[in-house]
Amino acid sequence: MGDMVALAGQTLLSPMILFFVLGLAAALARSDLSFPEAIAKGMSLYLLFAIGFKGGAGVAAHGVDAGLVATLLAGVVLSAALPFLAFALLGLLTRLSATDRAAVAAHYGSISIVTFVTASAVLESRGIPFEGYMVAVAAAMEAPAILSALWLVARVAPPGDRAGAAEPGLWREILLNGSIVLLVGAFAIGWTTGADGLAEIDAFITAPFKGVLCLFLLDMGLVAGRGLRAARGVLAPGVLAFGLAMPLLGAGAGLATGLALGLSAGGAALLMVLCASASYIAVPAAMRVALPEANPALYLTLALGVTFPFNLTLGIPLYIGIAGALAAGG
Amino acid sequence: MRMHAAKRVEIVIEAVMETRLTEALERAGVTGYTVLPVSGGGGRSGRWSREGQVGRATGMVAVVCLVRPARLDALLEAAFTVVDRHMGVVCVTDAQVLRAERF
């Protein structure tokens, strides 16, 4: 227990998380600190490229085993199942419409790749190894939740809100969105070129990685803080409670699955992070196309203003600490 | 210099719907339009800004078309099929253009 608390404390004080807190505090204090959109996008592309490539190179170094396939499948099932839990929990805690509940649920079944990247960097800083294929699991968990949410809408929402799933081009946009293509593509190239490929670009993707991540998280803190400031009216107590409880329930599901699969402590922590996090890049865009009747201020504020900061500041240290205490090699 | 009457249609719509809108306009025979970035704003759904954003969910774009008055209804019908369920603004103003054959 003492080790778990110490590890959580160290993680909380890592530069990545402190820069996020700085951004959050600056935005809440109405500082004019800001990043141009193009720079934020450039940094996110770099991070996806680097994490994907390193994950692929990791798989090349350690080989493919049944664990990869089982974890990928488990990730898809978790992503598809968690929206049902989120939908039911929102029904208990809030009076939101079925369409809003389904839209929020899609975000919580899908994943936040930035939370995943941050947790990976924290694990590396602490010298805790994890399975390289967790990057592929992250990519596989992006889309199934959207399918579940649209199914929920088709079952329970008013007829006027049900047209979204048939929107032409929607599934191509979801499955081929830029983040997924870059992450999976870099993973495949890293896997194909292995240690030799990694050695060729190591100086670019390893040494600057954490510095870029610090800057990116500073920006994400600013975005989250601005979102929180602008959307106070959206956060009824029940909605806020959902934004804090759902990550813990998701993390619990991820932990149970990670333990059942026999993942390492680092791998189990990452699966907890994936299940606990909420998408704020891919799913919001899909929801705007498929469910325009759902309130974007609600799901963006919850995902980016409540759950993302919670996971970055308290969640990641907690998940790493618990996984370290319970999982194999912990 | 002789000027010709035209209609200027400005549609501010969510960035995720940009391609759907421009494709609908092209299908309706609108061959010329300009897409402008919108850096921020506010409305019924609250304030928003492009600063620091990495996703397209909160962004808006402005699509501007200049057409002959006779083609306005076809353009608006095409645009409405896309913007009907989405947040945004459609605005039509009178304009004058120099080279009528281009519109």
Side-chain angles (χ1 to χ4, degrees), chain A residues 48-313:
Chain A
L48 290 167
F49 156 71
I51 195 84
F53 194 96
K54 284 192 281 189
V59 170
H62 296 106
V64 180
D65 56 19
L68 186 155
V69 180
T71 313
L72 266 179
L73 287 175
V76 170
V77 171
L78 282 167
S79 173
L82 285 172
F84 293 95
L85 177 63
F87 190 81
L89 187 60
L90 280 165
L92 283 176
L93 296 175
T94 73
R95 295 184 174 188
L96 297 175
S97 70
T99 307
D100 278 337
R101 284 159 57 200
V104 171
H107 292 71
Y108 282 82
S110 187
I111 59 111
S112 153
I113 197 68
V114 180
T115 313
F116 174 80
V117 170
T118 308
S120 307
V122 170
L123 286 171
E124 281 178 7
S125 300
R126 302 280 160 247
I128 303 171
F130 56 88
E131 291 79 358
Y133 57 70
M134 291 308 294
V135 175
V137 177
M141 289 179 73
E142 279 259 22
I146 299 172
L147 197 61
S148 298
L150 294 180
W151 186 84
L152 278 167
V153 167
R155 292 288 298 255
V156 297
D161 294 0
R162 297 179 187 173
E167 180 76 29
L170 175 65
W171 283 98
R172 180 182 51 76
E173 287 174 25
I174 292 169
L175 296 173
L176 292 179
N177 84 72
S179 303
I180 295 279
V181 169
L182 181 56
L183 189 66
V184 174
F187 179 83
I189 294 170
W191 189 354
T192 306
T193 58
D196 292 342
L198 183 61
E200 283 186 46
I201 59 171
D202 188 50
F204 180 66
I205 65 169
T206 300
F209 183 82
K210 283 179 189 159
V212 174
L213 182 56
C214 285
L215 266 183
F216 185 69
L217 286 174
L218 176 61
D219 173 53
M220 293 311 298
L222 289 166
V223 173
R226 279 199 294 265
L228 261 183
R229 229 180 50 211
R232 284 187 210 105
V234 173
L235 292 178
V239 174
L240 185 63
F242 170 83
L244 299 174
M246 188 59 209
L248 296 172
L249 293 174
L255 176 66
T257 309
L259 294 176
L261 291 168
L263 292 179
S264 66
L270 286 181
L271 193 58
M272 292 173 79
V273 166
L274 289 173
C275 293
S277 65
S279 169
Y280 51 83
I281 297 177
V283 178
M287 289 300 110
R288 289 314 303 147
V289 174
L291 295 179
E293 293 80 7
N295 180 4
L298 176 70
Y299 51 69
L300 280 170
T301 304
L302 264 177
L304 192 55
V306 178
T307 298
F308 182 62
F310 172 77
N311 276 331
L312 270 239
T313 52

Side-chain angles (χ1 to χ4, degrees), chain B residues 11-64:
Chain B
I11 305 166
V12 179
I13 192 170
E14 295 169 89
V16 289
M17 300 305 292
E18 176 194 328
T19 307
R20 287 174 174 80
L21 175 61
T22 53
E23 285 175 355
L25 293 177
E26 286 169 7
R27 282 196 298 274
V30 178
T31 53
Y33 54 82
T34 305
V35 181
L36 302 172
V38 180
S39 64
R44 286 197 309 173
S45 301
R47 290 166 64 100
W48 58 274
S49 164
R50 290 301 306 155
E51 274 182 1
Q53 299 284 349
V54 292
R56 293 195 307 153
T58 54
M60 306 282 279
V61 294
V63 179
V64 179

